[in-house]
Each structure stands twice: as C-alpha cells, then as structure tokens.
Amino acid sequence: MKKYILFLIGLALLLPPSVMAEDFLKAPVIPGGKVLVKNDSRLEFSVPQGHNEVLAFYRNALKNSKDIRIREWKNETYIEDDGNLPWHSITISKGETGETKVIIVKDNWTWILGTLVLRFVGVFIVLLLLFVAMMISGSIISRSVGKAEAKKAAS
C-alpha cells in the first residue's frame, strides 16, 4: 500500500505542468499573473509577458477545443467559444508597458437571449421589407394592367 501511495505521489510530481495549470471556468489561466478583478463571472489579470507569448499560450492550450474562434483586432485579440464551455470569451489586450491584460468572461444568459432577440427581430424586419416591396410592386403592376385594359377598351 505504501509503495502504491509513493508511486502516485511520484507520478503526480512528474506530470507535465499543463495538467496542473490553473483554470477559471475551465479556461486556462497563465500562471504567475497578477489578479486585478475576480468574481463568479469574470477574471481580469495581467501577466509580465508580451501579447504574442500570451496568444501562443492560449492557441496551444485551446488547440484541441472545437468551436473556438480567434479574432485579431488592432488593440486586442478576442477568443470566443461558440460551443458549450462555461466561459464565453478571452480578451488579450495589447499593452505598451510589456504587460498584457487578459479578461475571461463567463457565458451568460443576457448575451444568449440578446443574440436570440436580435435574430428574431431581424427576421421580422426582413419580412416587413419584403412585404412593403411586394405591396409597391403589386400596386405598380395593377396600375399598369388597369391602364392597358383601359386603352384596349377605348380602341
């Protein structure tokens, strides 16, 4: 029994550090960061590494995850999960001082319902535009048919 326990302890010490890495909402967190804000739905921290190093860490950590989209913007990189992970986005801000700020946000119902409402309203706006276009074309066609019939009846 003692050999078994010593074997498990030795195995735990020899495992790669990525297995024992910290996480927040199942999203990896770079070790050695300074936590700025932490609550149930948001984690903000800064790390003393450059933007490209932090981005490489997250690309490597999330390479086996599906439904991940990475968007490069001028001042930050936005990593978004379109699947069913507990976190919604990881924002990596490009800092000028050599420190990089990382924000991990929990997936929330406000965002989900907002997206659904926007799509629902968008569908009805498109249907309304099609209805108005059909009414206008219908009135133009009925007027032209009426004028053609009036000319035909007059001759």
Side-chain angles (χ1 to χ4, degrees):
M1 183 70 174
K2 289 181 183 180
K3 288 182 181 179
Y4 183 72
I5 293 173
L6 289 174
F7 173 76
L8 287 177
I9 292 172
L11 185 64
L13 293 174
L14 295 175
L15 286 175
S18 63
V19 174
M20 296 184 287
E22 295 181 51
D23 70 342
F24 176 74
L25 301 171
K26 297 185 182 178
V29 176
I30 298 176
K34 177 183 167 189
V35 176
L36 304 173
V37 175
K38 183 174 183 179
N39 56 36
D40 292 342
S41 61
R42 183 180 190 90
L43 172 65
E44 292 184 30
F45 63 97
S46 63
V47 290
Q49 299 158 340
H51 175 267
N52 293 336
E53 295 165 346
V54 174
L55 181 59
F57 170 82
Y58 278 104
R59 281 187 193 271
N60 187 36
L62 300 172
K63 68 182 173 189
N64 294 329
S65 300
K66 59 180 187 173
D67 299 325
I68 300 292
R69 285 194 293 167
I70 299 176
R71 299 179 186 160
E72 294 280 341
W73 292 328
K74 183 179 178 182
N75 296 324
E76 60 191 14
T77 301
Y78 186 75
I79 303 171
E80 182 178 27
D81 169 51
D82 290 335
N84 59 355
L85 294 174
W87 58 273
H88 171 67
S89 67
I90 300 172
T91 306
I92 306 168
S93 299
K94 297 177 182 176
E96 298 175 7
T97 62
E99 283 198 353
T100 303
K101 184 177 177 183
V102 180
I103 302 171
I104 302 174
V105 179
K106 181 180 179 182
D107 206 4
N108 57 33
W109 282 103
T110 306
W111 180 84
I112 295 168
L113 292 176
T115 303
L116 290 174
V117 167
L118 184 65
R119 289 179 181 178
F120 184 77
V121 170
V123 165
F124 282 103
I125 289 174
V126 168
L127 289 175
L128 180 66
L129 291 174
L130 287 173
F131 177 72
V132 169
M134 289 178 66
M135 292 292 291
I136 291 171
S137 68
S139 66
I140 292 172
I141 290 172
S142 64
R143 284 182 193 162
S144 64
V145 168
K147 287 181 183 178
E149 287 179 359
K151 283 184 182 179
K152 196 175 191 182
S155 31

